[in-house]
Amino acid sequence: MSPTTDSQISTPIKRIRWATQRVAGTSGSRKRRSIIDRFHHRSGSNEKKRESAGSGSGAGSVDSSPLPPVEEEDKEADRGPSDDDQPGRRIFFNIPLPDDAKDSDGHPLAHFDRNKIRTSKYTPLSFLPKNLWFQFHNVANIYFLVLIILAYFPIFGATNPGLGSVPLIVILVITALKDAIEDYRRTNLDNELNNSPVHRLVEWANVNVTEDDVSLWRRIKKATSHGIGRLWSVWSNRKHRSAAKGKSSDDMANEAPRPSMETRATPRNSIYPPFSQRSSFQSARSHAEDEGGIPMTQVQSPTRATHANGNGYSAANPRPETTFSYEEEALSDGDAAVAARPTRESVPPPPRSDGTLIDPSAPITGKARFKKDRWKNVKVGDFVRIYNDDQVPADIVILSTSDPDGACYVETKNLDGETNLKVRQALHSGRKIMHARDCERARFIIESEPPHANLYQYSGVVKWHQPGGNKAKVEAEAEPAPLNMAEPISIHNLLLRGCSLRNTDWILGVVAFTGQETKIMVNAGATPSKRSRIARELNWNVIYNFVILLVMCIVSAVVQGVIWGQGHHSLDYFEFGSIGGTPALDGFITFWTVIILFQNLVPISLYISLEIIKTAQAFFIYNDTFMYYDRLDYPCTPKSWNISDDLGQIEYIFSDKTGTLTQNVMEFRKCSINGVPYGEAYTEAQAGLQRRLGVDVEAEGAEVRAQIARDRVQMLADLRALAPNPYLHDDELTFVAPDYVTDLGGASGEAQKQANEHFMLVLALCHTVISERTPGDPPKIEFKAQSPDEAALVATARDCGFTVLGRTRDGIILNVLGEEREYQVLNTLEFNSSRKRMSAIIRTPHDNRIFLFCKGADSVIYSRLARGEQPELRQSTAEHLEMFAREGLRTLCIAQRELAEEEYQAWSREHDAAASAVQDREDKLDQVSDAIERELTLLGGTAIEDRLQDGVPDTISLLGEAGIKLWVLTGDKVETAINIGFSCNLLSNDMDLIVLKIEDEQVESAATELDRWLATFGMTGSDAELAAARLDHRPPGPTHALVIDGDSLKLVLRDELRQRFLLLCKQCKSVLCCRVSPSQKAAVVQLVKTSLDVMTLSIGDGANDVAMIQVADVGVGIAGEEGRQAVMTSDYAIGQFRFLQRLLLVHGRWSYRRLAETIANFFYKNMVWTFALFWYQIFDNFDGAYLFDYSYILLYNLAFTSLPIILMGILDQDVSDTVSLAVPGLYRRGIERKEWTQSKFWLYMIDGIYQSAMCFTMPYLLFAPAAAVTSSGQGVDDYQRLGVYVACATIVVVNVFVLLNTYRWDWLIVLIVFLSTILIWLFTGIYTSLTTSDTFYKAAAECYGQLTFWMVSLLTVSVCLLPRFAAKAYQKIYRPRDVDIVREQVRQGLFQHLAQADAYVSPSQMSSSGASSDMSKPAAGPAPRAEPNMEDDERPIYPPSTAPTGTTHNALSQHGSDGSDDTGRRPSFDPPSRPSIDRHRPSFDRMRSSMDRIRPSYEASNDFTSASRLTRLESSHCHTPSVRTQDITGDLRS
């Protein structure tokens, strides 16, 4: 290649870079993050597509056609895509509004939302009416309000209407207090957020908005709120005054809470770091602070001349070395550093002008300054300055940053749950806007698309007139005309509200969207409302009670009216005429009278009781220490309190894999370079495969781990002998391959040596990682990446001597085996979900050769290899990748291409044009990138391990024993999914795998395949079979498992095939869906949920799991090391997958059984009470007379019978938590929904009718033949005294009945039942002692003095409860349930050994066959850090392939197994056992031997393996074979 001339050297295109940072835990801004977390509830599909590399930072461009004059731009401007037909917006800066943008008064026509947001429902003025309005949306409240109103009419016979309103008032007050407390907290968070500080430009004219016109009503609301707030503050301050006395002012200042405007993690004193040596500016700033503002016009741009020792930081205050600081620091390190780097003076980049938004000729007032203001005062069109660690108050277009490259880092955790930092770029045309005076001189227009919910897309354009025109015009004309300029704005130039600025001193931008129009607020919305299954079925039971009540009232009204009409009855002698005057009217009045009388039949107190019970259950779940994840300080957190009973009925669990079953901790294990495999590892997938052969994995694993430990020591010694590497740390080495180091030293020849060096060099250059260097001895370098996979690759290159030291403005600096080099990064072509690859275009030092390095999915890379070249290398690499995937490792291909200078220059111009496009920018960039990523040369492949979480295999095994079916919905390859299945106990050796892979992607082929497999079960997929499947809740036998990929799943989910597919899956023990998208995950969950009428649970940890979490009956989010997207939309959040066993088998089963028993007993007790009154009506002609005193009717549910039944719902236990886990089969009763059935409801109702008859009949039979009298001769035969007999006996019967149905009789439940029982006697005695009781006066003394009272009460209780007691005794003796047998075993002491066992599988209980990461590191090494969660299809490298972790031992298993149910082996395999390996062999050879021996025929017949597929894969994207040199090993050495 000829030497490159200066003119041929291209200017590096600005690239979009991603970064991550380590989160330091909870900070002072927790409240603001909390409210943002509540805002963000994504709805709809979560398949997001990242913007590609150039979309956000294409260079500012000169518009090819001149812009129209400013006043005409509104007619011809491109407004971008519309959202729901909304018009775009134009924002003017220092330009008068055109006439068509103003109204007749000269005010702007466009009205933008305020930046003040409010998530609270109420204000102090609206709370009472609004809260009552919401509460009376409950039909039960309306029903009882009508009863209270009727009671105030004497005609209906209510004796004490005031007392009758007490229950409803109590319920309304309790609910209102709960709502007030919740809303008060929301209001505080709103105020915290709205009053957060921001530096806003003041003393200048923002033409886009006018001052707020505060209406009278708004003034009243504000005055009310402020008044109540002041009263509360005065009352609160009184409590602290006494404590404050006697303290110094310094102590009080230190103890006082920081105000809202100082809640930032790092309060700024200047726009420079606090250790900057700028005393003059500091003094100016301090003076300005006293005046309440910051005159940013005094800020000067940073220069090294003003810094203490050349880099801006004194020796006493060193700055942490980051990407941004590396270049300036290195420039001042001395001649040695300069000599170590290539100089660029011989090839200077051509000058480039992006234009500037500043008009030097524009007049300024000099008054503009940045002043600290509140978020709520920010308006569209404002200039704002954001400092490091500040949150962004609105959607802001970035004009300039503290970084000379215009980059800034932003954390988007509050938006998408990801804590990995994203890089955002300032507009090229705005990077000179640094100070307030620059803002005054900037004249431009932003044309923006309307607000929409897509967090990952934005289109806009900034237009301005460039004074002076271009250089040619300057030379040709004395006064050149302004040049119309434009630069596109993408999502990479936009900071979204709720994000946090990180690792950047400051940014300056303009506000594009505020308030409800910001993306986070457009996305705000509640998680879909979920109601428990029992709550839905409960509506029908309440309706049944309404029907019974209606029948009772109609019977009473008809009978009473007919009797009045007939006459000649006893009532003629006691009643003086008719109230209504006619039988019909009398019947109508009686109807409403008995509605009041029988009101307890419809249980209003049931709803409030259930709320109390569910709240207590949520409290117990939250405080369960066995579900507390101490590593993250995270307990199990219920977010939906009203569906705890659904946890006890789950039949299907749908789980994600990465971050859910696995730890999302990526560790580089193996690689293939130039056809040679390297790396030693013993993964759990490999152990699972060997277990299928009957291998003693404990013995073999121990031997392999010992050998790996020896190899590790040898490799570390060889690496240090090869070249000094101060960045190599023993505890961080994950790639154990001593043969790689020997080959790197030349033991296998010069070609392999160069290939090994070149491979690691590519890993060190092809990435978007940024490095952070921690000074020390030795120094330490950490890598921050958008994906843990990418960080693992760069970290391995560092360990092998190819260390990324940092980045310069247009390059990357490496330490290559002790030699420091700088490579120029021309372009970075980012990964996205459609490309499945990323590339970097690099210029080598000295010789200026250009290479494209590409890494991505094996199928993507192989399709872009040069046609007809490297057949042997392609074959061997494909085989290696297959073996890696079978070990459960995530695989990746590496390739390269050398570019001629002319070819690159031509492509670069096309890339610039695509990056500058306003419309379809992403698609154009993808097309341009695809054009150059062809004719590649294969270099090799990598394999990364993602370990299983602790306790996953045991948890899955335990859930399977409980009858729960687990489906894994993952983005992994089929091979990896199968091996994960064996490691997780989802698959066993006795299962036949059904692999659905429709090659031609035709519906007919899919139908044929489904019919073929259904025929093996004797099924056809008919409606009758589906109806039978809905009733069959038995787990399928462990004979079959199904595996299907995403393309085939798309076919079988069609309407004509979905039923057959579902029935086929119903016959399989396990189902694994591979390569599925988020929408497909949700579709599978919806299919099972609706078609089989079963309870479903979805569990995941990332944004790609939100859809299925929302669709399932119960959604569980994993609070991983990074990201909270799934947690934000879930119903329950847990720290680890293993906690799911306790959440379901313990709390879920308890909650379901408790709630079912509570509801049945509640209906029963109301039936007993109401029908006791009804039987009395037979003897008084149904005239609505009260047998009981009215106080009894009101206090029956409120006081006499409420506590025992509530306590049953909260504390009752049939067996303990440890026994529940030891006998998971107890859970199956919930799957079959046998605890709450309609037959049980009617059985309790009938029992209640019988007991009510006995409660009334027994006292009646006492009074019928004779009348009792007291010792003084007073009669006790009136209806009120009879009511005392009936009421007291009824309440005793009900409370004892509840105790009889309670499993756990401890001191508390017995005490509560006893107190509730004697309460009726105490109340009657006290109340009837008062003269206000009227005719009820002395009733207690008269009744209690009769022996008949106590004898009848005892006899009544016995007669009522005898049938129930006999039925229970018969059932437990002759037809015991599982729980009855287990309870007997507990009493016999068979489970006594569980008293010392943990109630969950702890990490300490894991067996010794751990993952390879445990065997390749020293025991004292630090725990690996988990990296950010991302969607699998959004990772910047090949997304799936997962790895399992250690086979664990279930401490609670009664058969002492290792968690796997398979004990037999199929005869087609080797004998059940064989001795461990005799000698150590290389990992790849050992694995291949195992694979060859167990590879079934179906794999080959279905072209299942990756090697067979890749070897047949033609280079579909490379049509023109090219002649190239195959020896590429020395290309980058110079």
Side-chain angles (χ1 to χ4, degrees), residues 1039-1300:
T1039 58
H1040 290 79
L1042 185 142
V1043 181
I1044 185 172
D1045 62 8
D1047 293 334
S1048 302
L1049 184 63
K1050 187 189 309 180
L1051 297 175
V1052 299
L1053 288 179
R1054 296 171 67 96
D1055 293 339
E1056 62 269 28
L1057 299 181
R1058 58 193 306 159
Q1059 181 170 312
R1060 281 178 276 182
F1061 170 67
L1062 179 62
L1063 289 173
L1064 178 60
C1065 293
K1066 185 76 165 60
Q1067 306 304 313
C1068 298
K1069 179 71 173 179
S1070 302
V1071 176
L1072 290 82
C1073 300
C1074 312
R1075 297 294 200 187
V1076 292
S1077 65
S1079 60
Q1080 286 179 319
K1081 291 183 180 182
V1084 171
V1085 176
Q1086 186 69 33
L1087 172 65
V1088 175
K1089 174 183 173 182
T1090 57
S1091 300
L1092 294 180
D1093 188 29
V1094 294
M1095 299 297 294
T1096 59
L1097 180 147
S1098 293
I1099 180 170
D1101 70 319
N1104 58 333
D1105 303 315
V1106 170
M1108 72 172 184
I1109 284 176
Q1110 292 182 339
V1111 167
D1113 294 290
V1114 178
V1116 178
I1118 297 288
E1121 298 283 349
E1122 307 284 355
R1124 292 292 189 272
Q1125 179 66 8
V1127 167
M1128 289 158 60
T1129 56
S1130 64
D1131 303 306
Y1132 292 87
I1134 57 180
Q1136 291 275 279
F1137 181 86
R1138 67 175 184 267
F1139 299 147
L1140 196 62
Q1141 58 173 298
R1142 187 170 176 85
L1143 181 63
L1144 297 183
L1145 303 186
V1146 177
H1147 292 284
R1149 197 182 69 82
W1150 280 351
S1151 298
Y1152 172 58
R1153 201 203 62 77
R1154 289 167 176 170
L1155 215 60
E1157 199 64 33
T1158 297
I1159 294 173
N1161 281 269
F1162 220 107
F1163 280 114
Y1164 148 81
K1165 74 183 185 71
N1166 283 357
M1167 184 64 67
V1168 174
W1169 182 260
T1170 305
F1171 266 83
L1173 292 172
F1174 183 77
W1175 303 133
Y1176 175 69
Q1177 300 302 309
I1178 299 175
F1179 299 93
D1180 68 352
N1181 297 323
F1182 291 93
D1183 65 349
Y1186 285 69
L1187 173 62
F1188 308 139
D1189 186 79
Y1190 193 62
S1191 60
Y1192 282 179
I1193 297 176
L1194 297 178
L1195 297 178
Y1196 175 73
N1197 279 324
L1198 194 63
F1200 299 145
T1201 62
S1202 59
L1203 287 182
I1205 201 166
I1206 290 177
L1207 212 61
M1208 169 196 275
I1210 295 176
L1211 297 177
D1212 190 25
Q1213 288 183 16
D1214 50 0
V1215 294
S1216 66
D1217 54 349
T1218 54
V1219 175
S1220 296
L1221 292 174
V1223 190
L1226 295 175
Y1227 188 85
R1228 297 191 181 186
R1229 190 167 177 82
I1231 294 177
E1232 297 169 355
R1233 297 176 225 151
K1234 290 184 177 179
E1235 293 293 347
W1236 174 249
T1237 60
Q1238 293 304 309
S1239 60
K1240 180 177 182 176
F1241 166 77
W1242 288 112
L1243 182 63
Y1244 274 69
M1245 296 285 281
I1246 294 172
D1247 200 358
I1249 293 175
Y1250 160 75
Q1251 295 186 29
S1252 68
M1254 294 299 101
C1255 289
F1256 173 79
T1257 303
M1258 299 300 290
Y1260 171 77
L1261 294 177
L1262 173 68
F1263 282 85
V1269 295
T1270 65
S1271 58
S1272 61
Q1274 293 175 313
V1276 290
D1277 55 349
D1278 67 306
Y1279 76 97
Q1280 287 188 323
R1281 273 64 182 175
L1282 174 63
V1284 174
Y1285 276 73
V1286 176
C1288 291
T1290 301
I1291 290 173
V1292 173
V1293 166
V1294 167
N1295 287 332
V1296 175
F1297 182 86
V1298 172
L1299 183 64
L1300 195 63

Side-chain angles (χ1 to χ4, degrees), residues 58-63 67 351-360 398-400 426-433 441-444 462-471 482-488:
S61 62
V62 179
D63 206 341
L67 285 175
R352 179 171 187 165
S353 175
D354 297 317
T356 177
L357 302 178
I358 299 176
D359 184 358
I398 311 171
L399 296 181
S400 61
L427 296 177
H428 290 269
S429 55
R431 295 182 183 180
K432 296 182 179 179
I433 302 177
R441 289 195 176 100
R443 304 183 63 182
F444 58 98
V462 57
K463 297 184 177 182
W464 74 99
H465 297 281
Q466 183 67 45
N470 57 26
K471 185 176 180 180
L483 181 63
N484 294 329
M485 303 280 288
E487 182 179 354

Side-chain angles (χ1 to χ4, degrees), residues 632-646:
L632 294 182
D633 188 23
Y634 200 88
C636 177
T637 306
K639 294 178 174 291
S640 298
W641 292 9
N642 61 334
I643 60 172
S644 57
D645 48 296
D646 280 350

Side-chain angles (χ1 to χ4, degrees), residues 868-973:
E869 296 186 9
Q870 303 176 292
E872 295 181 359
L873 180 59
R874 294 174 61 173
Q875 171 68 26
S876 60
T877 303
E879 292 180 356
H880 298 165
L881 293 176
E882 176 192 354
M883 292 300 105
F884 296 160
R886 286 176 177 276
E887 292 183 75
L889 302 177
R890 304 167 64 93
T891 57
L892 179 71
C893 274
I894 310 294
Q896 76 167 22
R897 177 186 179 186
E898 183 175 358
L899 303 176
E901 185 70 34
E902 296 76 10
E903 180 184 10
Y904 171 73
Q905 292 292 342
W907 176 87
S908 180
R909 288 189 290 270
E910 295 179 2
H911 185 271
D912 287 351
S916 302
V918 177
Q919 293 184 345
D920 302 325
R921 186 184 309 160
E922 294 76 31
D923 294 337
K924 293 178 181 179
L925 283 170
D926 285 350
Q927 294 174 5
V928 172
S929 300
D930 180 76
I932 201 170
E933 293 170 327
R934 298 169 183 261
E935 299 295 322
L936 302 178
T937 300
L938 182 63
L939 300 179
T942 63
I944 296 175
E945 180 184 12
D946 186 7
R947 302 174 54 200
L948 282 181
Q949 292 183 9
D950 295 330
V952 167
D954 284 322
T955 299
I956 292 176
S957 179
L958 203 63
L959 295 175
E961 293 177 19
I964 299 174
K965 298 87 174 174
L966 178 67
W967 292 18
V968 175
L969 311 180
T970 178
D972 281 353
K973 294 189 295 186

Side-chain angles (χ1 to χ4, degrees), residues 372-420:
K372 186 178 288 187
D373 205 341
R374 299 175 178 179
W375 277 25
K376 62 183 180 182
N377 296 329
V378 172
K379 300 178 179 64
V380 172
D382 277 348
F383 287 88
V384 295
R385 190 185 292 273
I386 311 296
Y387 292 104
N388 189 37
D389 293 329
D390 282 352
Q391 287 196 16
V392 181
D395 290 355
I396 295 173
V397 177
I398 311 171
L399 296 181
S400 61
T401 74
S402 58
D403 175 51
D405 199 24
C408 66
Y409 293 92
V410 60
E411 183 183 74
T412 62
K413 180 174 62 175
N414 292 329
L415 275 73
D416 55 17
E418 298 175 3
T419 55
N420 52 302

Side-chain angles (χ1 to χ4, degrees), residues 650-662:
I650 300 300
E651 185 172 354
Y652 284 87
I653 294 178
F654 301 90
S655 175
D656 180 39
K657 179 201 60 63
T658 302
T660 303
L661 299 179
T662 63

